[in-house]
Amino acid sequence: MMDISSLEFILIGLATFRLTRLIVFDQITEWMRAPFMKEIDEENENGEMSTYIVPKEGGIFGFFGKLLSCYWCTGVWSSIILCVLYFWWHPYGSYLIILLAVASLAAIIEAIMQKWIID
């Protein structure tokens, strides 16, 4: 049986949150999503163009496109990857988890500060 402390659980949770956001939303990983996505341009009633990025249809590209555009799906896979790293390659997995957890906490603090400053 594997024991995990509350602190370790929180760190893995924060790291999963950050890794998931990195994969699904961040501009720096757009190159990773690009082969599985397509852009759709639509014109609204005012004649303004909007571009939407949606998963490609069908096949393996469609499957990965849906996976990479779904926060919940990617979150499950991110948590699996981080838990495997933590429990099987503990020293190296721990470094990555701490790095992602600190980045996650910084992002959460920044979001709170932006909310306070703007509101």
Side-chain angles (χ1 to χ4, degrees):
M1 185 169 129
M2 291 182 246
D3 289 324
I4 185 169
S5 71
S6 298
L7 177 61
E8 292 166 324
F9 182 79
I10 291 168
L11 288 174
I12 293 169
L14 286 168
T16 298
F17 169 75
R18 185 65 198 110
L19 181 59
T20 302
R21 290 205 55 90
L22 181 69
I23 293 169
V24 175
F25 297 111
D26 288 358
Q27 190 175 14
I28 195 169
T29 56
E30 190 174 308
W31 62 271
M32 184 173 57
R33 295 185 303 272
F36 310 104
M37 303 293 191
K38 64 182 177 180
E39 290 184 1
I40 297 177
D41 294 321
E42 288 186 5
E43 186 175 348
N44 66 16
E45 61 275 355
N46 298 329
E48 299 168 341
M49 294 298 291
S50 295
T51 302
Y52 298 96
I53 299 173
V54 297
K56 290 184 176 178
E57 305 263 335
I60 194 78
F61 285 94
F63 171 77
F64 280 107
K66 287 179 184 173
L67 177 67
L68 292 172
S69 66
C70 174
Y71 185 81
W72 301 106
C73 303
T74 304
V76 169
W77 288 104
S78 294
S79 66
I80 290 170
I81 290 167
L82 291 174
C83 284
V84 166
L85 284 173
Y86 182 77
F87 289 112
W88 288 352
W89 294 287
H90 184 72
Y92 304 108
S94 294
Y95 296 134
L96 178 62
I97 287 167
I98 290 170
L99 175 75
L100 289 169
V102 169
S104 176
L105 192 55
I108 291 168
I109 292 169
E110 178 61 28
I112 291 169
M113 293 304 295
Q114 287 296 320
K115 181 80 173 150
W116 281 351
I117 291 170
I118 293 173
D119 289 346

